[in-house]
Amino acid sequence: MAFIKPPLSFRSIINMNVGFFGIQYSFGLQQTNMTPLYSYLGANPDDIPLLNLAGPMTGLIIQPIVGAMSDKTISRFGRRVPYFMIGAIFCSICLLLMPFSRTLWMAAGLLWILDAANNITMEPYRAFVSDKLPPSQHATGFLTQSFFTGLGITLANLTPSLLVASGLILENSRSSNHITYTTYAAFLIGAVASLTSVLYTIFTTKEYPLTEQQIQQIKQETHHGIGYIFRDIAQAFQDMPPLMRRLGVVYLFNWYAMFVYWQFITLCLAKTIFNTQDPNSLAFSSAQLLTGKVNATYNIVTFCTAFLLGWLAKKISPVGIHTLSLLLAGVGLLVLPLISNTSLLFLPMIGFGIGWASMMGTPYVILAGSIPEEKTGIYMGILNMFIVMPMMLETLTFRYIYRYVLQGNPVYAIYFAGVLITIAAALTLTLKMGRTRQPELAYASR
């Protein structure tokens, strides 16, 4: 007889997702600090995309493999937990070392290891929600991850500004490698947050044990060696639901745009607000701090609206909510470069924050009911591949678009990102065409 998952309390859903806070704190540090850090170490603006190749490449390689492995893992610690732990440890080590980088390639190398560790942790975390929650709570589970995404990235972005405001660190004080001391402190705090939050989830939330039938089936499949992983991935691609394929097209536009935004927002604000592109100037340091505040603003909106989006997705339509959210994000980026008054920058970030909240949760709600439960890890890994493939494409192509089409102007880069997210909003409407019934079943009893 099949095991029927009982609904969990809201507190239990919070506990199981606390670890996502640490993962996203780490990503928040990257979003706000890697471009300035590379600039301090002498990188040219059009080299920034290539230097950020680590994220998409590690995600492309690691996530489907880790997903397939976690589906077939048998251990006394569970299927997903060993990956949480290993990833969090390596993530913390890299965060500790990153500000001590003496060369551009040392920083880039650490970023490769850091992103690999984050991906090892994050992919099983998506499957963990489907493992633990019945379909009626998928929206709450995945949008809770959006809440912790917003909270983690908000605090990561605000940490340098809070340290300066408290008087603990001077705004432009730097070490011998030109990196500001606020960056050192932020990465140290991130290392602690990454490990402790994952440990909290591990100690408060236990995985459901596999049935004897599941264990025997896994042993039979894994008996044939490591090749089973790649066979499972290949078969999953072949059997991929049409809904997931269409979602991949949406992802192509909105995640290419997000990578452009993260890489060029500091350079854009330095130009539009402070009228500088000199990474060694006090004005550029101010632009880095302002980026933290701007990114914190949209992530505050994210964690304030995540549960509302989950409720609306259940009551109305996850596809409709995602379409509207992406449209608001696209408009926000198109407006952002037009604003020269720092006190008004929060306005476009409201729409952008709503879009970000939806990106981090709603697509998983749309997809969760249309994939087989025993393949959850693989398909969550493949869906995350749809995130990193546009990012990898961006790292390989955008330097030429930036140089030859956008005339090396970071303001145009943000406009470009806004257009792409607006296109993604329009393409989201295609998810209604020929959609399977499974996502609707997740809401049938509500």
Side-chain angles (χ1 to χ4, degrees):
M1 182 177 178
F3 172 67
I4 299 176
K5 302 172 191 173
L8 298 186
S9 67
F10 184 67
R11 179 179 179 180
S12 296
I13 295 175
I14 292 291
N15 286 341
M16 68 183 290
N17 284 300
V18 165
F20 219 69
F21 168 82
I23 298 170
Q24 296 304 323
Y25 196 106
S26 173
F27 278 120
L29 289 175
Q30 294 180 49
Q31 292 170 15
T32 302
N33 294 287
M34 286 312 299
T35 292
L37 193 148
Y38 283 147
S39 298
Y40 296 144
L41 294 173
N44 294 318
D46 56 2
D47 289 331
I48 297 297
L50 190 59
L51 288 168
N52 283 279
L53 184 62
M57 278 297 294
T58 55
L60 184 65
I61 296 169
I62 289 173
Q63 289 198 14
I65 293 176
V66 168
M69 290 176 64
S70 69
D71 281 341
K72 307 298 184 185
T73 294
I74 302 173
S75 78
R76 64 190 182 94
F77 301 106
R79 286 197 294 176
R80 318 296 182 185
V81 165
Y83 301 93
F84 298 170
M85 194 70 252
I86 293 170
I89 290 171
F90 278 94
C91 177
S92 296
I93 293 171
C94 290
L95 288 173
L96 283 173
L97 295 177
M98 183 67 76
F100 294 94
S101 299
R102 292 289 169 179
T103 65
L104 200 57
W105 293 109
M106 179 180 175
L110 283 171
L111 184 62
W112 276 82
I113 303 172
L114 174 61
D115 275 322
N118 274 331
N119 281 302
I120 289 171
T121 304
M122 187 172 68
E123 196 290 324
Y125 226 120
R126 298 293 192 186
F128 189 48
V129 171
S130 289
D131 290 346
K132 289 288 292 183
L133 298 178
S136 61
Q137 290 188 312
H138 281 168
T140 303
F142 286 118
L143 270 302
T144 299
Q145 291 189 345
S146 290
F147 169 83
F148 280 113
T149 294
L151 183 61
I153 296 178
T154 295
L155 294 179
N157 291 332
L158 285 178
T159 297
S161 295
L162 292 174
L163 291 170
V164 171
S166 67
L168 294 173
I169 301 177
L170 296 177
E171 179 175 337
N172 201 38
S173 58
R174 303 166 184 252
S175 67
S176 58
N177 61 352
H178 308 294
I179 296 172
T180 60
Y181 286 121
T182 55
T183 304
Y184 279 84
F187 276 83
L188 172 62
I189 294 169
V192 175
S194 178
L195 187 58
T196 56
S197 64
V198 170
L199 285 174
Y200 179 87
T201 287
I202 290 173
F203 286 118
T204 60
T205 308
K206 303 302 180 185
E207 295 187 63
Y208 291 131
L210 296 173
T211 65
E212 187 60 34
Q213 181 180 358
Q214 289 174 314
I215 292 172
Q216 291 305 317
Q217 182 178 352
I218 290 172
K219 287 182 177 179
Q220 183 179 0
E221 291 175 353
T222 56
H223 176 71
H224 301 292
I226 195 69
Y228 81 89
I229 296 176
F230 301 100
R231 288 195 297 271
D232 274 3
I233 294 171
Q235 189 63 46
F237 267 104
Q238 183 177 337
D239 299 336
M240 187 185 303
L243 174 65
M244 189 172 179
R245 297 180 189 276
R246 290 192 291 272
L247 191 58
V249 178
V250 175
Y251 271 30
L252 173 63
F253 287 88
N254 78 248
W255 285 104
Y256 192 111
M258 290 302 299
F259 224 38
V260 171
Y261 169 83
W262 290 326
Q263 291 168 6
F264 287 91
I265 181 58
T266 297
L267 300 179
C268 175
L269 293 176
K271 186 177 182 67
T272 59
I273 304 296
F274 299 99
N275 196 29
T276 184
Q277 294 288 275
D278 179 8
N280 294 315
S281 65
L282 176 61
F284 193 89
S285 297
S286 298
Q288 181 184 2
L289 293 179
L290 181 59
T291 297
K293 294 175 184 177
V294 167
N295 286 349
T297 300
Y298 83 74
N299 280 288
I300 288 171
V301 175
T302 293
F303 73 74
C304 286
T305 59
F307 292 118
L308 175 61
L309 290 180
W311 181 82
L312 290 173
K314 289 188 289 184
K315 296 298 181 181
I316 304 175
S317 160
V319 170
I321 293 302
H322 195 49
T323 300
L324 178 60
S325 299
L326 289 180
L327 181 61
L328 290 172
V331 171
L333 289 191
L334 292 173
V335 171
L336 178 64
L338 301 175
I339 298 174
S340 57
N341 186 335
T342 56
S343 62
L344 297 178
L345 287 173
F346 77 93
L347 290 173
M349 290 296 100
I350 294 174
F352 192 66
I354 293 172
W356 178 234
S358 190
M359 289 179 209
M360 294 302 293
T362 310
Y364 299 94
V365 180
I366 294 171
L367 184 64
S370 65
I371 56 178
E373 187 172 351
E374 69 276 9
K375 301 289 186 181
T376 298
I378 292 180
Y379 277 114
M380 290 299 176
I382 291 173
L383 184 60
N384 285 320
M385 284 179 64
F386 289 163
I387 294 175
V388 299
M389 285 191 290
M391 291 181 174
M392 186 171 67
L393 180 64
E394 190 270 354
T395 63
L396 297 175
T397 63
F398 191 70
R399 63 182 304 178
Y400 303 107
I401 295 173
Y402 182 74
R403 184 184 301 171
Y404 299 114
V405 179
L406 304 180
Q407 303 169 16
N409 190 332
V411 174
Y412 294 161
I414 300 302
Y415 283 139
F416 185 78
V419 170
L420 292 185
I421 294 182
T422 304
I423 294 172
L427 289 171
T428 302
L429 294 173
T430 65
L431 300 181
K432 294 181 178 179
M433 299 170 59
R435 191 175 66 175
T436 60
R437 294 287 299 173
Q438 288 93 327
E440 296 172 12
L441 293 176
Y443 309 110
S445 61
R446 301 175 191 183

